[in-house]
Amino acid sequence: MNKEFEGVYPALITPMDSDGNLNESALRKVIEFNISAGVHGFWVAGGSGESVLLDDEENCRIAQIVTEETKGRVKNIMHVGTLTTARSANLAEHAAKSGVDAICCVPPFFYRQNDEAIVEHYRVIASAADLPFFVYNLPSLTQVEITSDLMQKIQEKVPQLVGLKHSAPDIEAIRQFRDMGLCCMMGNSRLMLQSLMMGASGCIDGPQGIMPELFLDIWNSFQSGNFQQARDSQEKTAKVASLVPITKQQAFYKAFISKRIGVNCGQPRPPLEGLTTSEKKVLLEIIDKLEIKPNTEFKEN
């Protein structure tokens, strides 16, 4: 199994300014906040980062910002999934030139494809970057389930393949992917500890970016064999993750981290909705109950 990519990888948000454009300064502060907490890497421009609502130039700029800011201190896995193979391949090539450590990609979506077309889609994209490649298994949004059988076909045709982000409900598949020698990163924060016990290499999700210290405690406690401590931290994170509105995840993450580090990360890009006044009130109550203290080091002047 590839040990290069493991641990806690926040799925980065994409901060926006008051005009709805990429807020580069805020993004850099979000990155530094997470690195200072000790995260092992970032999942860049995924669902939490609203990548499918950004244009290609914005996604390319994000790749540059992340590599400039991290300076090799952590691993960066850049998502390049789009509606077409050509666009995704172009983004993959640019990401590689920007200096990311790996790329990842959802399967073709909207138009249903057979296994052969999915494999070819991945082959072309992975070849364009020639970096370690991660499949993004997200059937709830793509309507494509990456089963172990399909993954075997991908593994045979895509030599760059090293692993996947597993955001599918079948947690039992982790064992199958593990036995294939793949780095399987759990994509559901509420199941991080259970996944580690089944052989997952780590966890990638939005909540990691708003309370990295708790997820790092799960990881470090698990690695040291302190399973009770790992369980206690998992319970705290699960309570927050379970309260994230399904249709307002990005707004929740932005509001949470804005409060924590004193940096305005803005609103999600339409058609995504922002939080209501009552939802923001609940969010502040969550932070207080969990005793997750604000970090003023990154506060805006």
Side-chain angles (χ1 to χ4, degrees):
M1 183 182 297
N2 190 303
K3 292 290 186 179
E4 184 179 0
F5 302 93
E6 61 178 16
V8 175
Y9 278 60
L12 276 176
I13 63 169
T14 299
M16 304 289 184
D17 62 23
S18 58
D19 294 321
N21 298 315
L22 173 63
N23 188 332
E24 297 191 9
S25 174
L27 177 55
R28 292 180 187 276
K29 290 179 179 179
V30 170
I31 291 169
E32 287 299 330
F33 163 68
N34 278 279
I35 290 179
S36 69
V39 302
H40 304 97
F42 292 109
W43 184 263
V44 185
S48 297
E50 306 171 55
S51 65
V52 295
L53 302 181
L54 308 179
D55 60 38
D56 291 353
E57 289 74 20
E58 288 174 311
N59 279 311
C60 287
R61 181 58 187 149
I62 288 171
Q64 294 170 335
I65 293 170
V66 171
T67 54
E68 289 170 3
E69 192 65 28
T70 57
K71 299 181 179 68
R73 291 175 291 171
V74 298
K75 297 290 187 181
N76 296 310
I77 306 174
M78 178 77 187
H79 178 250
V80 297
T82 69
L83 281 170
T84 71
T85 304
R87 280 181 61 200
S88 296
N90 287 336
L91 286 175
E93 183 178 7
H94 178 273
K97 291 179 180 178
S98 297
V100 303
D101 300 285
I103 60 170
C104 57
C105 191
V106 291
F109 55 98
F110 192 83
Y111 295 109
R112 182 72 181 186
Q113 302 296 316
N114 60 29
D115 286 2
E116 289 68 28
I118 293 172
V119 172
E120 178 62 11
H121 178 75
Y122 279 143
R123 187 195 66 78
V124 173
I125 295 167
S127 297
D130 199 23
L131 289 173
F133 183 79
F134 283 78
V135 167
Y136 191 177
N137 192 13
L138 187 64
S140 62
L141 297 182
T142 64
Q143 308 306 311
V144 178
E145 173 78 35
I146 305 295
T147 63
S148 58
D149 289 341
L150 176 52
M151 186 63 85
Q152 182 65 49
K153 296 177 182 178
I154 298 170
Q155 195 172 36
E156 291 171 358
K157 298 292 185 178
V158 183
Q160 296 88 353
L161 179 70
V162 298
L164 75 156
K165 178 184 176 185
H166 187 58
S167 298
D170 183 11
I171 190 173
E172 191 67 28
I174 292 174
R175 291 193 177 95
Q176 298 170 336
F177 295 132
R178 176 202 64 194
D179 292 344
M180 294 171 67
L182 296 173
C183 168
C184 184
M185 303 289 279
M186 166 49 66
N188 185 337
S189 294
R190 287 170 285 183
L191 299 175
M192 177 175 173
L193 180 57
Q194 298 93 315
S195 300
L196 292 176
M197 298 186 73
M198 296 175 68
S201 301
C203 189
I204 298 169
D205 204 0
Q208 272 89 320
I210 61 178
M211 45 186 181
E213 60 271 48
L214 290 179
F215 288 96
L216 285 162
D217 191 60
I218 296 172
W219 174 260
N220 293 328
S221 298
F222 178 80
Q223 296 300 316
S224 65
N226 188 346
F227 301 122
Q228 184 58 54
Q229 179 62 39
R231 181 179 177 182
D232 291 344
S233 290
Q234 179 71 85
E235 287 297 314
K236 289 183 180 180
T237 62
K239 289 178 182 178
V240 175
S242 65
L243 293 172
V244 177
I246 297 300
T247 58
K248 294 188 177 183
Q249 291 182 16
Q250 293 79 9
F252 186 94
Y253 298 149
K254 287 184 175 184
F256 201 127
I257 197 168
S258 293
K259 175 63 177 177
R260 284 213 68 189
I261 68 176
V263 174
N264 187 358
C265 294
Q267 297 289 343
R269 180 162 290 179
L272 297 179
E273 295 181 285
L275 298 182
T276 65
T277 300
S278 60
E279 288 169 337
K280 287 182 180 178
K281 181 180 178 181
V282 171
L283 174 60
L284 296 178
E285 292 174 352
I286 292 171
I287 297 175
D288 291 339
K289 288 180 180 179
L290 289 176
E291 299 181 346
I292 299 176
K293 298 180 180 179
N295 187 322
T296 58
E297 179 182 351
F298 307 94
K299 188 175 182 179
E300 293 172 327
N301 297 323

